[in-house]
Amino acid sequence: MPDTIAPTDVPHADGSLTDAADGLVWAVSCTPGHRPVQLSARQAAQRLDGEAVRGAEPDGTWTWLHYDVVHTASRARVEAIARLTEEARATLAGTDRGARLEAEGDLVYGALPAFDDSMLDDDTNVSAWRFAVLPDLLITTRRHPVPALGAAYRWLQRDETPRTPAEIVDRTLLEFADSVRRNIATLDDQLDRAEDLLLTLDQHTDFGRISGLIGKVRRRSTELRRVISPVDRIFHSEDLELPEWAEDDIRDRSQRQIHAALDDLLALQDRARSLQDELASGQAEETNRRLYTVSVVTTLMLPATFVTGFFGMNTGGMFLASGAMGTVEAGGVCFLFMVITWLLLKFAKLL
């Protein structure tokens, strides 16, 4: 592994560096109240092996190592970390996208969802990032650029170093929840447009467009719910017992953030269902109006149909057959019967 990792390289969407060494994207040493310090690859390896010289650094210093485990070398390095349990190492190097959160003693590890781009469209794919955290060490891995991790890294560079690495996990989940809320806001705007069209319902209303807007919102909100609900269940699990040092950051605050995003999403889905019901009601009303018009026209034409059928009989002594104005007179009879039918419908309050 090379001796240095260039912190000045151009970062990708998640803050990763262009020339990462063997999949090690960044390595920083963090002391609460101070700016983080970039570590060389050799120093990062020493931290993993627990070879840091005791007393050489201030108390409370912890290390954050971030790996791109697409690299074979980085997977091998992660799987060889002696300070982690076998299960934690398997989680860091794994490919499963399912959400999980486990704790063993002071160690907390798991896999959590993230979006693999900047949420610029509705086709954003959901990936996963993995972590293992001890009081003095945070290891994160991913296979695709994760903007939430990059945002947490930039936050760490701008502000004072947090007390524990658990706050980085919390910050990443906060960025993920904010991304969900931004997506919800976009979907909510689409529902506003659909609602405006429904409120101005007339014979020229484009029901197909309204249905497309609502369907798009319901489809995307369902996808988001499938991502957030498992995470919310994990944090509410009674079997999850986190160490005291990580309880406040990883469970309490993160749980509130994810649950709030889920509440917003459920409210959006309820609104979409309400608009879908209103749309169905509007479509049924429009269908009934058209059927009513057809029924009235058909009813008014029934007498005329009877008269034309009667005069069309090929029999002797046909009424009005000998006069020069027979056709006009027959037309007048048809019109008279239509007027009589219309009056009867009005009298019966059917019109």
Side-chain angles (χ1 to χ4, degrees):
M1 182 177 294
D3 288 343
T4 60
I5 301 173
T8 57
D9 287 343
V10 178
H12 298 307
D14 65 347
S16 60
L17 304 178
T18 304
D19 297 325
D22 293 334
L24 181 57
V25 183
W26 62 66
V28 290
S29 175
C30 306
T31 302
H34 297 80
R35 291 282 186 178
V37 178
Q38 296 286 337
L39 298 177
S40 69
R42 180 177 301 171
Q43 290 172 324
Q46 291 174 345
R47 300 299 174 91
L48 287 179
D49 297 333
E51 297 176 0
V53 179
R54 186 178 302 274
E57 294 179 337
D59 291 337
T61 298
W62 52 272
T63 304
W64 181 10
L65 308 179
H66 180 47
Y67 287 92
D68 179 358
V69 290
V70 171
H71 294 259
T72 303
S74 62
R75 288 200 302 273
R77 183 57 182 162
V78 168
E79 290 171 351
I81 301 175
R83 300 184 62 187
L84 303 180
T85 63
E86 181 178 352
E87 186 71 18
R89 294 195 297 268
T91 299
L92 288 174
T95 59
D96 185 17
R97 293 191 177 185
R100 63 178 302 188
L101 185 62
E102 305 288 346
E104 296 183 26
D106 278 342
L107 173 65
V108 181
Y109 63 92
L112 295 171
F115 298 106
D116 62 8
D117 60 31
S118 56
M119 293 284 288
L120 295 178
D121 53 58
D122 291 338
D123 295 327
T124 300
N125 293 322
V126 177
S127 59
W129 63 281
R130 298 163 180 80
F131 73 95
V133 59
L134 289 162
D136 63 340
L137 178 65
L138 170 63
I139 301 173
T140 56
T141 64
R142 51 79 163 164
R143 288 179 174 269
H144 304 280
V146 177
L149 280 173
Y153 178 76
R154 290 188 292 272
W155 168 75
L156 182 64
Q157 299 292 328
R158 290 193 306 266
D159 300 334
E160 290 187 352
T161 300
R163 177 178 52 87
T164 69
E167 292 189 44
I168 297 296
V169 178
D170 174 71
R171 186 74 186 189
T172 305
L173 282 173
L174 174 61
E175 291 294 333
F176 171 71
D178 285 345
S179 296
V180 173
R181 289 195 180 97
R182 288 193 296 270
N183 206 204
I184 290 174
T186 301
L187 298 177
D188 198 53
D189 289 341
Q190 294 179 4
L191 287 186
D192 286 341
R193 292 198 295 272
E195 188 173 30
D196 291 341
L197 292 173
L198 284 174
L199 291 176
T200 58
L201 188 64
D202 55 32
Q203 61 180 348
H204 302 295
T205 299
D206 187 353
F207 287 104
R209 180 187 176 191
I210 299 175
S211 179
L213 286 172
I214 297 177
K216 185 178 181 181
V217 170
R218 295 192 66 181
R219 181 177 65 255
R220 182 58 179 166
S221 61
T222 299
E223 293 172 353
L224 292 174
R225 185 176 179 180
R226 289 172 181 168
V227 175
I228 297 177
S229 294
V231 182
D232 186 63
R233 285 196 298 268
I234 287 174
F235 283 120
H236 283 86
S237 174
E238 296 180 355
D239 296 332
L240 179 61
E241 295 183 1
L242 297 179
E244 183 178 353
W245 70 271
E247 180 76 21
D248 181 60
D249 294 317
I250 294 183
R251 182 161 193 166
D252 294 343
R253 285 192 293 187
S254 299
Q255 177 178 315
R256 290 194 298 270
Q257 295 159 11
I258 295 298
H259 191 71
L262 181 60
D263 284 343
D264 292 342
L265 186 58
L266 293 177
L268 178 74
Q269 287 188 310
D270 288 341
R271 186 185 177 200
R273 280 193 290 267
S274 297
L275 288 179
Q276 186 75 55
D277 293 341
E278 190 171 347
L279 173 63
S281 176
Q283 289 174 318
E285 182 180 346
E286 177 66 15
T287 300
N288 291 337
R289 186 184 65 81
R290 294 179 180 180
L291 289 176
Y292 173 77
T293 301
V294 172
S295 299
V296 169
V297 173
T298 302
T299 303
L300 291 176
M301 293 300 296
L302 280 176
T305 303
F306 169 75
V307 171
T308 55
F310 178 79
F311 280 100
M313 291 188 295
N314 191 17
T315 57
M318 178 60 66
F319 176 62
L320 301 177
S322 59
M325 299 295 290
T327 300
V328 176
E329 293 169 347
V333 172
C334 290
F335 179 75
L336 177 63
F337 274 100
M338 291 175 66
V339 171
I340 293 172
T341 302
W342 183 80
L343 291 173
L344 289 174
L345 291 174
K346 291 291 287 186
F347 179 77
K349 297 182 178 180
L350 297 177
L351 287 178

